[in-house]
Amino acid sequence: MFVPSRSSLLETLVDRLADLPSIGRKSAQRLAYHILATPMEDVEALSRVLLEARRGVRPCTECGNHAETELCAVCSNARRDKAVVCVVERPADITAFERLGSYRGVYHVLGGVLSPLDGIGPGEINLANLFSRCDRGVTEIILALGTHAEGEATSSYIVQRLAGRTLRVTRLARGLPAGSDLEFVDEITMQRALEGRVDLRR
Ligand SMILES: [Zn+2]
């Protein structure tokens, strides 16, 4: 008779944790043991906040950043300069700029970059909304898409699509580690990259 192999609750927990980014099998095991040794009310609080965050956070209708209401904290801040838009790949990249405390513009989150081999074309990322924002008083677009091949290709595509419009198009200065996730770049490097941004057309 066939007896299905049963995976224990502990194994299932380890499997789930190991599915998370940057968590290897060993770390997943360590986390699982830690959770099992944690008081029940703390584990309940953690599982509650996981569900609440996942259900309550949605994309900002203006920029695609994480938001709990229609607009994110940046877009709903009257003191931010809505004429300057920094284009990033993911919401996490925004933290790199917000840490500086000196950037007064707003953002646009693409939710990915162009990657034809993976079937990601202009329609698959948040580009249409970027171009329609450009019709509403934007004077500068800062491209901050990283220096990997897909980031470069996406920047080029945006520059092409903006041809003929009078707004300024810039990119962060060189000096960022190639292909780096912006969220892990230190503040001095970020500040220099932002201040030294270069015009992509004259
Ligand atoms: Zn927003």
Side-chain angles (χ1 to χ4, degrees):
M1 196 181 78
F2 173 71
V3 180
S5 65
R6 272 189 318 163
S7 81
S8 70
L9 290 171
L10 176 58
E11 280 166 33
T12 308
L13 177 58
V14 172
D15 287 346
R16 286 288 180 178
L17 291 168
D19 282 343
L20 297 171
S22 323
I23 306 281
R25 195 87 202 153
K26 263 190 179 164
S27 303
Q29 239 151 28
R30 211 174 302 135
L31 283 170
Y33 288 132
H34 175 79
I35 289 168
L36 294 180
T38 299
M40 189 60 82
E41 62 267 30
D42 292 349
V43 178
E44 281 168 356
L46 175 63
S47 55
R48 247 194 330 272
V49 83
L50 282 173
L51 285 173
E52 283 168 7
R54 183 62 188 83
R55 287 181 183 140
V57 177
R58 53 192 172 143
C60 168
T61 54
E62 180 73 356
C63 76
N65 186 16
H66 289 148
E68 291 179 36
T69 53
E70 198 183 328
L71 293 178
C72 71
V74 176
C75 289
S76 55
N77 184 340
R79 285 180 306 192
R80 303 297 291 243
D81 182 359
K82 308 290 191 300
V84 179
V85 177
C86 179
V87 181
V88 296
E89 184 178 340
R90 302 163 311 146
D93 297 329
I94 289 177
T95 56
F97 291 94
E98 291 301 285
R99 265 202 311 262
L100 301 177
S102 58
Y103 177 67
R104 305 309 306 155
V106 291
Y107 302 95
H108 190 86
V109 180
L110 292 181
V113 282
L114 296 178
S115 181
L117 292 177
D118 301 313
I120 303 174
E124 275 67 49
I125 57 178
N126 189 20
L127 273 171
N129 200 22
L130 172 65
F131 299 129
S132 68
R133 286 180 83 181
C134 289
D135 293 330
R136 303 198 299 268
V138 172
T139 58
E140 182 181 355
I141 291 283
I142 303 169
L143 296 169
L145 294 175
T147 49
H148 45 77
E150 291 87 356
E152 298 279 4
T154 309
S155 293
S156 302
Y157 177 82
I158 293 171
V159 172
Q160 259 175 28
R161 284 287 309 267
L162 292 176
R165 299 196 199 218
T166 50
L167 50 91
R168 187 182 175 202
V169 183
T170 59
R171 62 174 295 155
L172 295 183
R174 301 278 179 192
L176 295 174
S180 68
D181 291 324
L182 291 182
E183 63 178 312
F184 302 119
V185 175
D186 70 87
E187 286 155 49
I188 294 170
T189 308
M190 273 307 290
Q191 187 69 43
R192 279 197 196 129
L194 185 60
E195 281 169 2
R197 64 189 189 270
V198 288
D199 284 278
L200 289 175
R201 54 186 199 184
R202 309 245 165 229

